[in-house]
Amino acid sequence: DAMRTILAAKKDLRIAIASVLYKEGKISLGKAVEIADVHYEELKKILVEKGIKIRRGASTPKELEEELSHLGS
C-alpha cells in the first residue's frame, strides 16, 4: 500500500517514527530496529545522539524474545 511505499523510501522517516515510539516506551529496541530498518548498533547510536535513553533489558517476555532474535543481526 501507499504508506509502506513511502516508508520504504524514507529512511529518515522510519528512524524518526521508531525513535518516538521507543522513547514513549511503546516498542522495544528490537522492534525499533525493525521499523527503522537499520543495524542494532546504528540505531542505539542514533537514539543516544537524539538524547533518548537506552532502556537496558527487556521489560516483558515479548521484548526479550524480540531482542534475542536480533542478537544475530
Side-chain angles (χ1 to χ4, degrees):
D1 77 314
M3 184 57 79
R4 290 184 197 274
T5 302
I6 291 169
L7 289 175
K10 301 281 187 177
K11 180 179 179 180
D12 57 333
L13 183 58
R14 291 191 316 268
I15 290 171
I17 291 169
S19 298
V20 169
L21 292 174
Y22 179 78
K23 181 179 181 179
E24 293 177 351
K26 295 184 179 188
I27 60 172
S28 67
L29 184 57
K31 191 64 168 175
V33 167
E34 284 182 33
I35 292 169
D37 194 27
V38 296
H39 190 273
Y40 194 82
E41 293 300 320
E42 181 181 354
L43 185 60
K44 284 175 35 178
K45 180 181 174 191
I46 291 167
L47 293 173
V48 168
E49 288 172 355
K50 291 178 175 273
I52 299 171
K53 184 179 177 192
I54 304 297
R55 295 189 304 272
R56 301 290 179 202
S59 59
T60 67
K62 183 178 179 184
E63 284 185 6
L64 177 60
E65 185 177 305
E66 288 175 1
E67 289 181 12
L68 289 174
S69 73
H70 289 285
L71 285 179
S73 298

